[in-house]
Amino acid sequence: MPPSPSIRPQGAEPPIRDRGDACPGALRLHSAADGHLARVRLPAGDLTVRQAEALADAADRLGDGHLSLTSRGNAELRGLADGCGGRLAALLRDAGLLPSERHERVRNILASPLAGLDRHTPSDVRLWARELDGLLCASESATALSGRFLFVLDDGRGDVAALGGDVSLVAERGGAGSGGLSGAGCPAGAGGTALLRVGDDPAALRIAGPDAPRATLTAAEAFLTAAEASGSGAWRVRELPHRHGLTARAVAERLRAAGIGCAEVAGEVAAAVAGAREVTGTPDATGATYATEAPAPASVPYADSSAPGVIEGSDGARALSVLAPLGRLSVAQWRLLTAVAAEDGAGALRLTPWRGVVIPGLSADTAAPRLRELSAAGLITDPDSPWHRVGACTGRPGCAKSRTDVRADATAAVTAGTPVPGEPGPQPATLRRLPVYWSGCERRCGHPHGAWVDVLATAEGYRVSVVQPQSTPAPHPAPAAPSAAPCPATS
């Protein structure tokens, strides 16, 4: 598998895939240096208390006593013994975590974790996520999707829209209507509207809210058609050869053929992704409608989905948001989170792509003491914590490809106050604002999207670079953290 440090450089030819992806699942286990690994897909990160208890039981009885949270809001179990696959599947099946075994690896659905919880956003995208999951599991063609193919559903705040979705839906703020585009095939009415995008195409399609889940699946099916025609074996939209690339216009044709109304919107839609005012446009000679001006930045004070703390809702309810240090939770920590959700919350948990957990439904009186209890248990509850925005791959001993125990080194560096090696004392402002990610090899598994600080283990020590979107890491040497010994060469 090639390294994945960033988006493919512009102009580079996409890879030719001669096999299916090897992504692990709940039924297809991956053999790692510390035992077998299972990845349990959790569409929109949603878990009931009963399902969370089942995952804790699986980690306790079959695994290493920990749960790992992924950058797609899924959960991983490590240290699984040989021959435990059947027992694991039975546990998950009984908890309702395997609604379709044939689709279990393709249920990759990210959704804004705070949708419906803070003061300014509806919960529509969470409902869309559930409906999309049902459509996926009922679709025969969807079984051909790669385990890496990603659906992203953003509530309009722009928190997950930039996380590399193959098909992305962005709710338009304020229950936007058709923007005067009903004549172009976009129906107005209840349910608001959403912008649908595929891959990196800057164009978007405006979809009526009730049609959003079905339109999203139709776009994925259009990708499968394009991938088959290309002969490239592409796993993701960005891997399609240029002459077979999937565009919003091509998806629009599929949608209209399926009876789903849409209007084409082009130009600068990134601001609309963040909840800006409605994009207006005029039709061209083909009848497609394109934006005539870029939308203005959003003024709504959305809560930061990636930050830990207490989230205040419009109805007086509270939600707790916590992060797992380096994305790992002990079974004891996980059971405490589950207990909070069961006893004082709404009986549900939401995993986030920032390797955190959101617990909705607490009262104003219970939120603060429960947050203190979670902090005492070792969870990140303060946005000013030095652990906030610091991540790491599995490293040794769990991964044989890693050059060193990056988690131990990252822990030592954060404890010493230098989460970026070679930067003693206060960190530069630019580094403090960016995620810092420690990797044991060039694969950089689980690295952030967008801009981030790349801390890469090499045979000579750690090398540091700042990765920008549309760039590849070009690490420059930096002294290793004082607590980190030189990394051994890869065997």
Side-chain angles (χ1 to χ4, degrees), residues 106-142:
V106 305
R107 301 169 69 222
N108 295 302
I109 304 174
L110 263 183
S112 296
L114 298 188
L117 298 184
D118 63 355
R119 295 180 182 274
H120 302 288
T121 58
S123 59
D124 291 359
V125 296
R126 314 289 304 185
L127 301 177
W128 291 347
R130 295 185 195 121
E131 185 176 346
L132 173 60
D133 185 40
L135 292 172
L136 266 178
C137 290
S139 168
E140 180 65 29
S141 61

Side-chain angles (χ1 to χ4, degrees), residues 421-433:
E423 296 288 347
Q427 301 288 301
T430 53
L431 297 186
R432 289 199 303 270
R433 290 193 297 266

Side-chain angles (χ1 to χ4, degrees), residues 66-152:
H66 292 78
L67 294 101
S68 297
L69 311 185
T70 78
S71 61
R72 292 185 169 191
N74 296 319
E76 286 184 350
L77 304 170
R78 299 190 68 95
L80 299 168
D82 291 338
C84 74
R87 284 178 291 163
L88 174 61
L91 268 174
L92 300 179
R93 193 179 297 113
D94 290 346
L97 289 168
L98 287 176
S100 172
E101 296 187 5
R102 297 183 63 217
H103 295 83
E104 64 100 359
R105 291 194 320 117
V106 305
R107 301 169 69 222
N108 295 302
I109 304 174
L110 263 183
S112 296
L114 298 188
L117 298 184
D118 63 355
R119 295 180 182 274
H120 302 288
T121 58
S123 59
D124 291 359
V125 296
R126 314 289 304 185
L127 301 177
W128 291 347
R130 295 185 195 121
E131 185 176 346
L132 173 60
D133 185 40
L135 292 172
L136 266 178
C137 290
S139 168
E140 180 65 29
S141 61
T143 61
L145 289 172
S146 160
R148 296 188 177 188
F149 195 91
L150 179 62
F151 299 94
V152 168

